[in-house]
Amino acid sequence: MQPKSNIVHLPVYQPGKPIEDVKRELGLTEVIKLASNENPLGSSALAREAAIQELSRSNIYPDGASVSLTSALAEHLGVAANQIIFGTGSSEVILMIARAFLAPGDETIMADETFSQYRHNAEVENAAIITVPLIDGKHDLTEMLARVTDRTKVIWICNPNNPTGTIVSHDELVAFLTAVPKHVMVVLDEAYGEFVDDPSYSDGVKLLPHYPNLVILRTFSKAYGLAALRIGYGVGHSDVVRSINQVREPFNTTRMSQAAAEAALRDDAFVASSRQKNLEGLAYMREQFDRLGLTYFPAHGNFIMFDAKRPSGEVFGGLLKRGIIVRSGWAKYPNHVRVSVGTPEENAKFIAALEQVIQEAAVQRN
């Protein structure tokens, strides 16, 4: 049996290496994972308790329309309930957008180094992918706009961008959205938006009344610490959300994830604490990279991407041997490594291991 010809060459998504695998493969007793931009503080106690309570009803299908969670989130965001769609992480919402709006031959525009699932799902739908190089790790909105044609259906903007961590400002975004033709959907992925502490950053949801072709993606995986429960969402014009809903699988989010997400929305203190601890972690990372003479992109998420000044695969391997899992492997940035912000203790262990890797490489060169 043969699959569709346009998916034969597609790579399978490679998540950060699991801690258990690294321990087993390398015989380590302690491993720190700083590869997947997870929340090192865990999740809200309210969310955990809500999920646990739902376990007793795991024999019953979840609410396929997520009515209670939708109502709570609509109130939280100040939008109508019919403007929201949930997915198993925002990655499933990306899949649904591609399935609903991209046909073979349609064009879709994205940065050359950004979240891989935009490209992956566009390729599954056999769309023509137009990539625009980042400038200093940041989306080049001017060039993205210039590449729009009558065949363009969707433009993807990751803000903050994964993997570089850079942001597009409110003014830049508004100018771009105003110029984009109304037949083109703009997907603004704000998966890391809760971590941003820059006054120029834009709250995409507040732009929705002015731009009916805009769709916002957010997730409970990052700042809310519910990555394992797989729940994210999209917000857009009700007609657009209805079209996305038409390709959504039934019961695509669980009872546990819905309950945990709704409870997490009530725990503003946990999100505020996560944000503050993350800012402190980023400050520490920047301070240490400056000390080591390593450059890095401006970091606005819960991760930072730095130039290791040597092939990133070597750095990844050297850190892995010391029990630190990071992320590498970007074609446009062969010497760059992305590291998630961990706890203060984890961050310090990462820096100590990185110094050892750098010193080891210097000895080998000499």
Side-chain angles (χ1 to χ4, degrees), residues 37-304:
N37 305 337
E38 295 149 332
N39 191 331
L41 301 183
S43 58
S44 163
L46 296 180
R48 292 196 300 273
E49 180 59 30
I52 290 169
Q53 289 181 6
E54 288 299 319
L55 285 173
S56 64
R57 292 186 280 179
S58 59
N59 61 309
I60 302 172
Y61 281 113
D63 175 6
S66 305
V67 172
S68 181
L69 174 58
T70 299
S71 177
L73 182 60
E75 182 178 356
H76 180 78
L77 297 176
V79 300
N82 63 2
Q83 290 184 260
I84 297 171
I85 184 167
F86 288 97
T88 51
S90 56
S91 57
E92 192 196 18
V93 185
I94 294 169
L95 179 152
M96 290 188 285
I97 289 171
R99 180 182 291 179
F101 288 93
L102 293 177
D106 285 342
E107 292 180 353
T108 182
I109 300 172
M110 64 194 70
D112 61 345
E113 285 291 4
T114 191
F115 186 42
S116 62
Q117 292 306 100
Y118 311 147
R119 170 183 283 276
H120 177 86
N121 285 290
E123 288 187 323
V124 169
E125 303 305 326
N126 213 9
I129 298 168
I130 311 299
T131 58
V132 175
L134 298 171
I135 297 179
D136 297 327
K138 180 178 175 179
H139 283 77
D140 183 355
L141 296 186
T142 300
E143 183 58 25
M144 294 178 89
L145 183 62
R147 303 296 293 274
V148 172
T149 72
D150 291 342
R151 295 170 58 195
T152 305
K153 293 292 288 294
V154 182
I155 301 174
W156 309 86
I157 300 173
C158 193
N159 197 36
N161 186 45
N162 178 11
T164 57
T166 57
I167 60 171
V168 172
S169 73
H170 173 82
D171 291 346
E172 292 168 329
L173 187 59
V174 166
F176 177 78
L177 291 170
T178 302
V180 170
K182 301 310 176 190
H183 72 275
V184 177
M185 177 186 293
V186 177
V187 179
L188 183 63
D189 189 344
E190 296 182 338
Y192 301 95
E194 286 91 352
F195 293 110
V196 180
D197 183 39
D198 188 308
S200 73
Y201 185 67
S202 187
D203 180 347
V205 171
K206 293 181 179 178
L207 297 174
L208 287 171
H210 308 287
Y211 303 100
N213 57 332
L214 178 63
V215 175
I216 309 301
L217 301 182
R218 292 184 181 173
T219 183
F220 287 93
S221 295
K222 306 304 180 182
Y224 290 96
L226 299 178
L229 293 184
R230 308 306 303 126
I231 186 157
Y233 60 94
V235 192
H237 189 278
S238 58
D239 290 342
V240 174
V241 169
R242 181 181 183 278
S243 295
I244 301 171
N245 243 322
Q246 289 176 303
V247 301
R248 180 177 62 83
E249 296 295 326
F251 309 114
N252 64 322
T253 59
T254 69
R255 301 188 71 92
M256 286 70 76
S257 62
Q258 290 178 28
E262 185 173 346
L265 288 174
R266 299 195 298 269
D267 197 344
D268 292 336
F270 176 80
V271 176
S273 176
S274 296
R275 185 168 177 268
Q276 182 57 40
K277 295 295 185 183
N278 183 69
L279 290 172
E280 294 169 4
L282 286 175
Y284 171 79
M285 292 287 199
R286 288 192 291 264
E287 176 185 282
Q288 296 302 310
F289 290 148
D290 288 342
R291 178 177 64 83
L292 295 172
L294 301 175
T295 58
Y296 46 87
F297 291 116
H300 295 280
N302 64 338
F303 57 91
I304 187 166

